[in-house]
Amino acid sequence: MSMHFSDVARQAMADGAISAEDVLALRRAGWADGQISPEEAEAIFAINHRLDQPAAEWVDFFLEAMGEYVVNQLEPRGYVTDEQARWLISRIEQDDKLHSLTELELLVRVFEKALDVPEGLRTFALEQIERAVLTGDGPTRCGGRLDKGNVTLAEARLLRRILFASGSDRPAAVSRREAELLFRLKDETLGANNDPEWKRLFVQGVGNYLQGFASDSALSRDRAAQLEAFMNDTSSSVGAFMGRVVRSVGAPNRMGKVFGRKAATPSLDHLVDQARQVTGDEQAWLDRHIDANGVVDEYDEALLEFLAAG
């Protein structure tokens, strides 16, 4: 950590405030070598904990710097390691909850930025949203001043971004665990003053789980590292082999067929059509969750109408 970065950080923690000029200075000092160091990352979190009302310039810098540090600090870039996930949770968790809305936004940004995140980080993020809704306390509630037991617009929007982020359980799709979270929140907030966006999210989220098509999941971090190392190997043997492979792919043989081509596979449209069909297991799952609260409520009705129209 440079002396200038350290000086600005120390002054901000002493004052409990940071100016736009200070943020610019931190940007210049922190990215002087193109990376955020572990010491600088610690200092950035310490400043954020000290600020009572962070300015927009600070929030932008915090999210950009910490997102880059967590997602792209280790190779291969774009994957969050278990170690990085544990570090992030330990730094943003205070009294078993998030310190600020800025830090919850950081979690969402990491989900959107990363190709894959560890299970523990996904669980932690969803637990914070669920806790805020059910207890009325947490960063989406401005310190708990709002009534508990309802879903706000901010919470619905954050949930949507987490569920459909690249680092979610099923990238661009909703997993069974996530659909069960939506049902739990629905049952706990029936009759409450929920934002209209919540019903849309519930119907679309559960409907996506039951009828959505999801392509193959993202590569694991270890597999991505293996592929990256192989592709970066410029040795003559590897290079020559890959050159032959590239030249041969798609080249027709004497029979006029592409060498190594497999039998025709189902089209994407066919796979999508198959996914839209609710299976027996999915139907049993849906029946259990609709029956759980003893009534077919307005959210269940909206979901069933959505499924019927699909």
Side-chain angles (χ1 to χ4, degrees):
M1 181 164 59
S2 70
M3 288 298 295
H4 185 54
F5 191 101
S6 179
D7 290 341
V8 175
R10 189 181 303 109
Q11 189 63 49
M13 285 185 280
D15 297 342
I18 189 167
S19 66
E21 291 76 16
D22 290 335
V23 172
L24 181 59
L26 289 177
R27 280 185 176 276
R28 290 171 173 169
W31 269 302
D33 59 354
Q35 284 191 323
I36 297 293
S37 72
E39 293 79 12
E40 290 165 346
E42 295 284 359
I44 290 169
F45 259 109
I47 294 172
N48 195 63
H49 286 168
R50 185 71 178 83
L51 301 178
D52 294 326
Q53 295 182 330
E57 293 85 358
W58 168 259
V59 172
D60 290 343
F61 169 70
F62 176 81
L63 295 175
E64 185 178 350
M66 290 298 91
E68 179 68 18
Y69 178 77
V70 172
V71 177
N72 291 322
Q73 188 73 13
L74 299 178
E75 297 295 340
R77 294 165 63 88
Y79 289 80
V80 179
T81 66
D82 290 331
E83 179 184 1
Q84 288 289 75
R86 288 192 295 269
W87 178 87
L88 178 59
I89 291 173
S90 69
R91 294 307 181 275
I92 65 180
E93 191 176 34
Q94 289 192 345
D95 299 326
D96 295 325
K97 64 183 179 182
L98 291 172
H99 171 73
S100 68
L101 181 57
T102 302
E103 290 169 352
L104 182 56
E105 174 67 23
L106 172 60
L107 278 175
V108 178
R109 293 283 184 94
V110 167
F111 275 58
E112 293 172 335
K113 191 179 181 72
L115 295 173
D116 192 35
V117 301
E119 176 73 13
L121 191 59
R122 286 194 290 262
T123 300
F124 177 75
L126 291 173
E127 283 177 348
Q128 306 316 304
I129 296 287
E130 185 170 11
R131 177 179 299 174
V133 171
L134 300 184
T135 67
D137 189 19
T140 66
R141 301 286 179 150
C142 301
R145 289 193 293 270
L146 300 180
D147 293 337
K148 65 181 179 180
N150 68 297
V151 183
T152 67
L153 177 60
E155 289 157 351
R157 286 177 172 172
L158 287 170
L159 265 174
R160 181 180 293 279
R161 290 171 62 196
I162 290 176
L163 294 178
F164 293 101
S166 61
S168 64
D169 273 355
R170 295 172 67 208
V174 175
S175 70
R176 174 169 290 199
R177 179 181 67 165
E178 292 165 342
E180 288 173 346
L181 166 65
L182 294 176
F183 260 109
R184 285 199 305 274
L185 292 178
K186 184 266 294 184
D187 288 340
E188 291 289 344
T189 60
L190 278 179
N193 184 29
N194 298 317
D195 190 272
E197 175 61 21
W198 163 236
K199 181 184 284 189
R200 284 192 290 271
L201 175 59
F202 171 79
V203 170
Q204 293 169 350
V206 178
N208 178 283
Y209 161 64
L210 292 170
Q211 294 187 321
F213 168 74
S215 60
D216 292 339
S217 59
L219 288 173
S220 69
R221 182 178 180 274
D222 290 342
R223 182 56 177 155
Q226 292 172 0
L227 292 175
E228 184 174 282
F230 182 79
M231 295 308 295
N232 289 335
D233 190 334
T234 57
S235 65
S236 58
S237 59
V238 173
F241 171 74
M242 289 304 295
R244 290 196 300 273
V245 170
V246 170
R247 286 193 295 272
S248 67
V249 170
N253 62 17
R254 293 177 183 175
M255 298 294 291
K257 298 178 181 179
V258 175
F259 175 77
R261 176 173 290 176
K262 297 181 179 179
T265 57
S267 68
L268 180 61
D269 288 342
H270 177 68
L271 293 174
V272 171
D273 287 339
Q274 283 185 320
R276 286 176 179 163
Q277 305 302 315
V278 177
T279 66
D281 176 64
E282 291 171 338
Q283 185 64 58
W285 176 90
L286 178 61
D287 291 342
R288 286 197 306 273
H289 283 79
I290 288 180
D291 293 342
N293 63 3
V295 296
V296 179
D297 55 63
E298 61 178 298
Y299 292 82
D300 298 330
E301 291 176 350
L303 173 61
L304 292 172
E305 290 175 3
F306 176 85
L307 294 173

